[in-house]
Amino acid sequence: KKQILHSPHLNVIYTEYKLEAVWPLPQTFISSSEQYRLNPQTFYFGYGMQSAAQPGCTVLDSAFKRYFSLIFLDLTSGSVDKPFSVEISVDRDDCDGYPSEDSSEKYNLTVSAGRASLNAQTVWGALRGLESFSQLVYQDDFGSYFVNKTEIEDFPRFQFRAILLDTSRHYLPVQTILKTLDAMAYSKFNVFHWHIVDDPSFPYQSRTFPDLSAKGAFHPMTHIYTQSDVRRVISHGRLRGIRILPEFDSPGHTKSWGKGQSDLLTPCYNGGIPSGTFVSSVFPDSYIHLGGDEVDFTCWRSNPDVRAFMQAMGFGGDFTKLEAFYMENIMNITSALNKTSIVWQDVFDYHERIPKDTVLHIWKGVPAKIKEELSRITKAGMRVLLAAPWYINHISYGQDWRNYYTVQPQNFSGTEEQKKLVIGGEVCMWGEYVDATNLMPRLWPRASAAAERLWSDEQQTSNVDKAFPRLQEFRCKLLRRGIQAEPLYVGHCKHEYQGI
Amino acid sequence: KKQILHSPHLNVIYTEYKLEAVWPLPQTFISSSEQYRLNPQTFYFGYGMQSAAQPGCTVLDSAFKRYFSLIFLDLTSGSVDKPFSVEISVDRDDCDGYPSEDSSEKYNLTVSAGRASLNAQTVWGALRGLESFSQLVYQDDFGSYFVNKTEIEDFPRFQFRAILLDTSRHYLPVQTILKTLDAMAYSKFNVFHWHIVDDPSFPYQSRTFPDLSAKGAFHPMTHIYTQSDVRRVISHGRLRGIRILPEFDSPGHTKSWGKGQSDLLTPCYNGGIPSGTFVSSVFPDSYIHLGGDEVDFTCWRSNPDVRAFMQAMGFGGDFTKLEAFYMENIMNITSALNKTSIVWQDVFDYHERIPKDTVLHIWKGVPAKIKEELSRITKAGMRVLLAAPWYINHISYGQDWRNYYTVQPQNFSGTEEQKKLVIGGEVCMWGEYVDATNLMPRLWPRASAAAERLWSDEQQTSNVDKAFPRLQEFRCKLLRRGIQAEPLYVGHCKHEYQGI
């Protein structure tokens, strides 16, 4: 079934049908050389008779429109062929909801003569199947479209497959975020971790505390996210099955907060910090990221009010106790709002009383240290999310995507139960050196390497050299769809980037 | 005169007037806080009475149009102010020529109330002065334009300030090359080294040997440079004072040549190699780059015909003699065509009979080794061109522009005469991992760091921390002009990139 199509140092124009043309690789994939010709004039997406979702389903109606355009980029009208219809059926009418941690993304896709049928439990699974179907379609040298007889059964290995963008170190225009969500769907990512504020700037325009952005953004009018911008991002993500996970990182990384709330940062810990409540009604996802990383105690230590409070609380000189007190309070507020907290791994070290459903976000350490942490934290029964191996803002020369591909998230010492506590992984694009000028080529297709690791079966995708031509082909598909994905090595694509 | 405007870790919106607002820094620069308001409705470029060039001068007429648009990006019409005119005078009417190694780029610019006068020996110098003038203009928060009283005397430290693009490992659309020429002019680069063909592909469509691209390009119709494309690049460069230096690298790096000329590569050295003659009429520059690097002798060694020729010539088993024979022949052909050869440094090691005007191109070695080579080659009286420290395709995380800025091209052991043999430097963007998707943000503003090193006085620009805020400001200017220049660090610009 596997086949290396060419050596890593040659390049081939992809006009012929390829085995395993879907990235990330489906769990089971059987295809044949039997091919069916498609014609935009006689091609239809439709709902199955038994489908719980029917016309009017916002998620799927708009997905049909979108994928029709993606498949038939140039609307060549050749001879009118036999009609071909793709029939989608889902078990639940969750058309107006939001994707969540419990959403099944499983789907089955069967492509045969004249028709394809796509079955899923949820509309979110149907979206994943539509993406796979769209990747199966190819054009010959004369522009005709084809799809081959195919049988796919597919589901993600991990429930949580995220990309982090940092809109505090540089502001990213809303259009750039929306384009990133588009590209995320092409690689089957399902969580956008929006690191929306941090020390350098506070672009989030809060209804309750408008001064935070008025004074803390790089520019109070042009470099902010209005409530309407945020709604647009949430809606754009929803239609693609992508959860929007906001992060309001505290008590460290809050310099920019202080500009708009003058009494917020001086006492360092209890100045009416507007976390939790002021965002829970805006972001529908049941998760919220509370940060908790890299707290510098020197500020607290310097403040006599803080030291007096420490005495009163019986913390002595142990500032980790103060941080624990702060984080516990904020996690309790979050629990009370029926939200699940994600916090950076730092928080685990100081806290015995973390709510049991909290997710620890692993962001630091060399590989050996990461394994140790995974072992230690899952042993305590806590769920973990792995980001450390995928800090792709750290660029280096050459094919560094190979490092992102060969990560083994469950390769640490622990029981099967512990392994299951790894809920997924996250690709982080921190913003020190990244803004709208270089985000897209830096993110794609390097993030897609991690996407396959998080979606596909590890055994079937253990060979990075076999992945190389598939990823090259996928990168050409991204270019064809207008995603400014950078090259993996010497070569070319049929549809090159025409941006400039 | 020098002033650090802010610390490297803070960012400031640049609306106020800055000292030393010109990048690369002019040789002498005196400015005052006296400011004059400019208005697009009463602003004029014109020729001085005594100027050798007058209306009809192609180079300057089009430069006036271009710089008017660059200066007055948003044509706000405020109250009509006093008129302001910039009077350009040049000593020679070289309006229809091409810039060459002998072209003076010296200019003097005086900005005073109601008028500026720009004097230069050549139109190429006038172009450099127009660029400086355009960088002096700034806008206040209300959109009004200003320029301050200024006195500049300026000339380049090095005559040869190049950027190399590699269009063989990836094809670059003509538009991308033209945009690069635009940006080069903003940093006062004056040579575009077009590494047009190499092993992976042969995109140059030759009139004499059309099969070279028909069979050697990635695609024979879409991934080629027609004669008209090449003329467009040459003309676009000319209007910006940029020389187009083509490279046809042989005898190594010619795999792609063999596809279109079947008897070319087998005998490895004398199969009617179409170098020299077939390009000299197309490219007007008096220099041509002949390559000569990384010759692998294993192919030659394997060929009995080659070995027989070696015997006949009395070379024994020394293949360096064969390479010397080849390169000497090709350099002699080039001389006969009245062209100056540039060759990669490899050639120096094997050749005693290099034409004395040949330029050796230093591309390899660690810093200590580079100094040694500079010393050794200039001691032999040969001119050198420094590229090794500026291989900016080798990306790394962080502010690597600092390394490009702190290069000292003349810091090697040798006499003053030897130092003068360093004709300049070149920023190389090799194409293994670069195409139109990521070229612009990878090139700018990192290349601009080298630009200042090659143009400005070394003493005055020895402090990289002082350069940082100036380069940040220059990068914002590039963004404002539509160049997709990546950020240097955390922060923002007034005009962000709006590409996506």
Side-chain angles (χ1 to χ4, degrees):
Chain A
K1 180 155 151 286
K2 294 281 168 52
Q3 183 188 341
I4 304 182
L5 293 159
H6 57 75
S7 91
H9 293 273
L10 282 179
N11 276 275
V12 164
I13 308 183
Y14 294 93
T15 51
E16 290 157 48
Y17 178 67
K18 293 303 163 336
L19 296 176
E20 296 163 0
V22 179
W23 186 284
L25 189 68
Q27 301 289 341
T28 71
F29 187 104
I30 302 165
S31 71
S32 99
S33 60
E34 189 177 321
Q35 62 178 21
Y36 315 117
R37 190 163 163 157
L38 307 182
N39 191 308
Q41 293 165 303
T42 53
F43 180 93
Y44 310 94
F45 284 118
Y47 294 88
M49 293 284 281
Q50 304 303 320
S51 173
Q54 289 293 337
C57 174
T58 51
V59 173
L60 293 180
D61 283 355
S62 61
F64 295 166
K65 181 180 171 188
R66 207 162 63 233
Y67 278 105
F68 190 93
S69 301
L70 287 176
I71 291 170
F72 301 108
L73 202 65
D74 22 284
L75 294 169
T76 54
S77 56
S79 57
V80 176
D81 297 290
K82 290 175 203 150
F84 191 98
S85 50
V86 183
E87 198 181 277
I88 288 89
S89 295
V90 295
D91 300 343
R92 267 206 304 282
D93 176 0
D94 41 359
C95 297
D96 296 319
Y98 289 91
S100 75
E101 60 167 333
D102 300 320
S103 300
S104 161
E105 292 172 288
K106 192 172 155 51
Y107 69 93
N108 291 336
L109 174 65
T110 306
V111 181
S112 52
R115 70 185 292 271
S117 70
L118 168 60
N119 296 295
Q121 291 168 7
T122 68
V123 295
W124 321 115
L127 289 176
R128 305 297 168 244
L130 282 167
E131 176 56 39
S132 292
F133 177 80
S134 74
Q135 293 189 23
L136 291 176
V137 180
Y138 58 98
Q139 279 182 285
D140 68 9
D141 283 339
F142 307 99
S144 295
Y145 293 94
F146 293 94
V147 67
N148 281 43
K149 188 173 167 63
T150 307
E151 193 86 47
I152 292 177
E153 290 180 19
D154 204 11
F155 54 87
R157 177 181 178 197
F158 292 106
Q159 138 216 144
F160 196 106
R161 307 177 307 281
I163 284 192
L164 174 150
L165 294 186
D166 169 2
T167 57
S168 174
R169 289 178 178 81
H170 286 99
Y171 178 80
L172 296 171
V174 175
Q175 280 302 336
T176 304
I177 294 174
L178 301 184
K179 193 88 178 173
T180 301
L181 293 171
D182 292 348
M184 284 174 66
Y186 305 153
S187 287
K188 297 192 172 76
F189 280 105
N190 69 346
V191 180
F192 169 44
H193 176 173
W194 195 349
H195 189 86
I196 193 165
V197 299
D198 202 307
D199 288 329
S201 77
F202 197 104
Y204 177 74
Q205 191 177 48
S206 158
R207 278 176 302 208
T208 329
F209 301 92
D211 270 358
L212 286 169
S213 62
K215 297 184 180 165
F218 282 134
H219 188 286
M221 300 304 291
T222 61
H223 287 60
I224 58 166
Y225 301 106
T226 64
Q227 290 293 315
S228 143
D229 291 335
V230 171
R231 274 198 296 272
R232 215 164 138 208
V233 168
I234 291 168
S235 161
H236 200 88
R238 186 183 86 85
L239 291 175
R240 285 153 186 80
I242 297 170
R243 301 161 56 190
I244 311 298
L245 170 72
E247 175 177 359
F248 287 84
D249 190 354
S250 71
H253 294 279
T254 52
K255 252 182 220 157
S256 70
W257 304 42
K259 293 176 187 163
Q261 290 292 110
S262 57
D263 56 351
L264 178 65
L265 294 186
T266 323
C268 290
Y269 62 95
N270 65 355
I273 290 168
S275 319
T277 46
F278 90 125
V279 291
S280 72
S281 60
V282 177
F283 293 93
D285 202 79
S286 68
Y287 279 52
I288 183 167
H289 203 301
L290 298 175
D293 59 314
E294 300 185 302
V295 180
D296 180 2
F297 296 141
T298 46
C299 154
W300 288 349
R301 200 172 282 130
S302 69
N303 187 322
D305 291 348
V306 173
R307 291 200 306 269
F309 181 81
M310 298 269 291
Q311 285 298 326
M313 296 295 287
F315 295 160
D318 186 353
F319 284 91
T320 66
K321 289 191 176 150
L322 178 57
E323 200 210 332
F325 175 79
Y326 172 86
M327 288 307 293
E328 277 159 23
N329 270 298
I330 199 168
M331 289 187 282
N332 286 337
I333 295 169
T334 306
S335 285
L337 294 164
N338 282 321
K339 297 257 185 187
T340 302
S341 302
I342 305 187
V343 291
W344 298 105
Q345 70 187 97
D346 313 43
V347 175
F348 182 74
D349 296 331
Y350 307 139
H351 302 276
E352 286 148 26
R353 289 170 297 176
I354 294 181
K356 266 297 170 196
D357 66 340
T358 305
V359 177
L360 277 305
H361 202 158
I362 308 293
W363 68 278
K364 54 186 173 180
V366 294
K369 179 74 186 158
I370 294 168
K371 281 189 191 186
E372 217 174 90
E373 283 293 287
L374 286 170
S375 209
R376 191 169 71 96
I377 299 176
T378 56
K379 198 164 186 179
M382 304 300 296
R383 292 183 298 166
V384 293
L385 177 58
L386 189 61
W390 291 303
Y391 265 40
I392 70 169
N393 55 307
H394 290 142
I395 52 169
S396 62
Y397 187 64
Q399 299 197 19
D400 58 358
W401 68 272
R402 289 171 182 265
N403 304 329
Y404 309 134
Y405 193 78
T406 50
V407 172
Q408 297 181 305
Q410 288 168 316
N411 182 13
F412 59 88
S413 102
T415 62
E416 280 312 300
E417 283 311 301
Q418 278 178 260
K419 306 289 170 88
K420 284 184 190 150
L421 292 170
V422 181
I423 65 166
E426 181 170 295
V427 171
C428 296
M429 185 59 88
W430 295 101
E432 280 85 350
Y433 302 102
V434 175
D435 70 4
T437 62
N438 57 357
L439 173 69
M440 294 308 273
R442 205 163 276 204
L443 197 49
W444 308 109
R446 292 161 76 230
S448 304
E452 180 150 298
R453 181 55 50 237
L454 294 169
W455 177 281
S456 306
D457 178 67
E458 192 169 284
Q459 298 288 322
Q460 290 183 56
T461 56
S462 58
N463 187 321
V464 65
D465 288 328
K466 286 187 182 171
F468 178 70
R470 292 180 49 243
L471 186 55
Q472 277 198 312
E473 184 183 349
F474 179 66
R475 182 250 167 181
C476 288
K477 283 181 182 158
L478 291 178
L479 278 193
R480 181 177 174 276
R481 295 178 178 196
I483 302 300
Q484 199 179 337
E486 69 178 18
L488 294 167
Y489 196 60
V490 174
H492 77 294
C493 295
K494 194 175 171 184
H495 296 266
E496 299 280 13
Y497 176 67
Q498 299 294 344
I500 288 169
Chain B
K1 180 158 147 286
K2 295 279 166 52
Q3 184 187 341
I4 304 183
L5 293 159
H6 56 76
S7 92
H9 292 274
L10 281 180
N11 276 276
V12 163
I13 307 184
Y14 294 94
T15 51
E16 290 157 48
Y17 177 68
K18 293 304 162 336
L19 295 175
E20 296 163 1
V22 179
W23 185 284
L25 188 68
Q27 301 288 342
T28 70
F29 187 104
I30 302 165
S31 71
S32 99
S33 60
E34 188 176 323
Q35 63 178 18
Y36 316 116
R37 189 163 164 157
L38 307 181
N39 190 308
Q41 292 165 304
T42 54
F43 180 92
Y44 310 94
F45 284 117
Y47 294 88
M49 293 284 280
Q50 306 302 319
S51 173
Q54 289 293 336
C57 174
T58 51
V59 173
L60 293 181
D61 283 356
S62 61
F64 294 168
K65 181 181 170 188
R66 208 162 62 234
Y67 278 105
F68 190 92
S69 301
L70 287 176
I71 291 169
F72 300 108
L73 202 66
D74 23 282
L75 293 169
T76 54
S77 56
S79 57
V80 177
D81 297 289
K82 289 174 203 151
F84 191 98
S85 50
V86 183
E87 197 180 278
I88 288 88
S89 295
V90 296
D91 299 343
R92 265 205 304 282
D93 175 0
D94 42 0
C95 297
D96 296 320
Y98 289 91
S100 76
E101 59 167 333
D102 301 320
S103 301
S104 161
E105 292 172 289
K106 193 172 155 51
Y107 69 91
N108 291 336
L109 173 66
T110 306
V111 180
S112 52
R115 72 185 290 273
S117 70
L118 168 61
N119 296 295
Q121 291 168 9
T122 67
V123 294
W124 322 115
L127 289 177
R128 305 297 167 244
L130 282 168
E131 176 56 40
S132 293
F133 177 80
S134 75
Q135 293 188 24
L136 291 176
V137 180
Y138 58 97
Q139 279 182 284
D140 69 7
D141 284 339
F142 307 99
S144 295
Y145 294 94
F146 293 94
V147 67
N148 281 44
K149 188 173 166 63
T150 306
E151 193 85 48
I152 292 177
E153 290 179 17
D154 203 11
F155 54 87
R157 177 181 177 197
F158 292 107
Q159 139 217 143
F160 195 106
R161 306 176 309 280
I163 284 192
L164 174 149
L165 294 186
D166 170 2
T167 57
S168 174
R169 290 179 177 80
H170 286 99
Y171 178 80
L172 295 172
V174 176
Q175 280 303 336
T176 304
I177 295 175
L178 301 184
K179 193 88 177 173
T180 301
L181 292 171
D182 291 349
M184 284 173 67
Y186 304 154
S187 287
K188 296 192 172 78
F189 280 105
N190 68 346
V191 179
F192 168 44
H193 175 174
W194 194 350
H195 189 85
I196 192 166
V197 299
D198 202 307
D199 288 328
S201 77
F202 197 104
Y204 176 74
Q205 191 177 49
S206 159
R207 278 176 302 208
T208 329
F209 301 92
D211 270 358
L212 286 169
S213 62
K215 297 183 179 167
F218 283 134
H219 188 284
M221 300 305 291
T222 60
H223 287 61
I224 59 167
Y225 301 106
T226 64
Q227 290 294 315
S228 141
D229 290 335
V230 170
R231 274 199 296 271
R232 214 164 139 212
V233 169
I234 292 169
S235 161
H236 201 88
R238 187 183 86 85
L239 291 176
R240 285 153 185 81
I242 297 171
R243 301 160 56 190
I244 311 299
L245 170 71
E247 175 177 359
F248 288 85
D249 190 354
S250 70
H253 293 280
T254 52
K255 252 181 220 158
S256 70
W257 304 42
K259 293 176 188 163
Q261 290 293 110
S262 57
D263 55 351
L264 178 65
L265 293 186
T266 322
C268 290
Y269 62 94
N270 64 355
I273 291 167
S275 319
T277 47
F278 90 126
V279 290
S280 71
S281 61
V282 178
F283 294 93
D285 202 79
S286 69
Y287 279 53
I288 183 168
H289 204 301
L290 298 176
D293 59 315
E294 298 185 304
V295 180
D296 179 2
F297 295 141
T298 47
C299 155
W300 288 348
R301 201 172 281 130
S302 70
N303 187 322
D305 291 348
V306 173
R307 291 200 306 267
F309 181 82
M310 298 270 291
Q311 285 299 326
M313 296 296 286
F315 294 161
D318 185 353
F319 284 91
T320 65
K321 289 192 176 149
L322 178 57
E323 200 211 332
F325 175 80
Y326 172 87
M327 287 307 293
E328 277 159 23
N329 271 298
I330 199 168
M331 288 187 283
N332 286 337
I333 294 169
T334 306
S335 285
L337 293 164
N338 283 320
K339 296 257 185 188
T340 302
S341 302
I342 305 187
V343 291
W344 297 106
Q345 71 187 96
D346 312 44
V347 176
F348 182 74
D349 295 330
Y350 308 139
H351 302 277
E352 287 147 25
R353 289 170 298 176
I354 295 180
K356 266 297 170 196
D357 66 341
T358 305
V359 177
L360 277 304
H361 203 158
I362 309 292
W363 68 279
K364 53 186 173 181
V366 293
K369 179 73 186 160
I370 294 168
K371 281 189 190 186
E372 215 173 90
E373 283 293 287
L374 285 170
S375 206
R376 191 170 70 96
I377 299 175
T378 55
K379 197 165 185 179
M382 305 299 296
R383 293 184 298 167
V384 294
L385 177 59
L386 190 60
W390 291 302
Y391 265 41
I392 70 169
N393 55 306
H394 289 143
I395 52 170
S396 62
Y397 187 66
Q399 299 197 20
D400 57 359
W401 69 270
R402 290 171 182 264
N403 304 329
Y404 309 133
Y405 193 78
T406 50
V407 173
Q408 297 181 305
Q410 289 169 315
N411 182 15
F412 58 89
S413 103
T415 63
E416 279 313 299
E417 284 310 302
Q418 277 178 260
K419 305 290 169 88
K420 284 184 191 151
L421 291 169
V422 180
I423 66 166
E426 181 170 294
V427 171
C428 295
M429 185 59 88
W430 295 101
E432 280 84 350
Y433 301 102
V434 175
D435 70 4
T437 62
N438 57 357
L439 173 69
M440 295 307 273
R442 204 163 276 204
L443 197 50
W444 309 109
R446 292 161 76 230
S448 304
E452 179 149 298
R453 181 55 50 235
L454 294 169
W455 177 281
S456 307
D457 179 66
E458 192 170 284
Q459 298 287 321
Q460 290 183 55
T461 56
S462 57
N463 187 322
V464 65
D465 289 328
K466 285 187 184 172
F468 178 71
R470 291 180 49 243
L471 186 54
Q472 277 198 311
E473 184 182 350
F474 179 67
R475 182 250 167 182
C476 288
K477 283 181 182 157
L478 291 178
L479 279 193
R480 182 177 174 275
R481 294 177 178 196
I483 302 299
Q484 199 179 338
E486 69 177 18
L488 295 167
Y489 196 60
V490 174
H492 77 294
C493 295
K494 194 174 171 185
H495 296 265
E496 298 280 13
Y497 176 67
Q498 298 295 342
I500 289 167

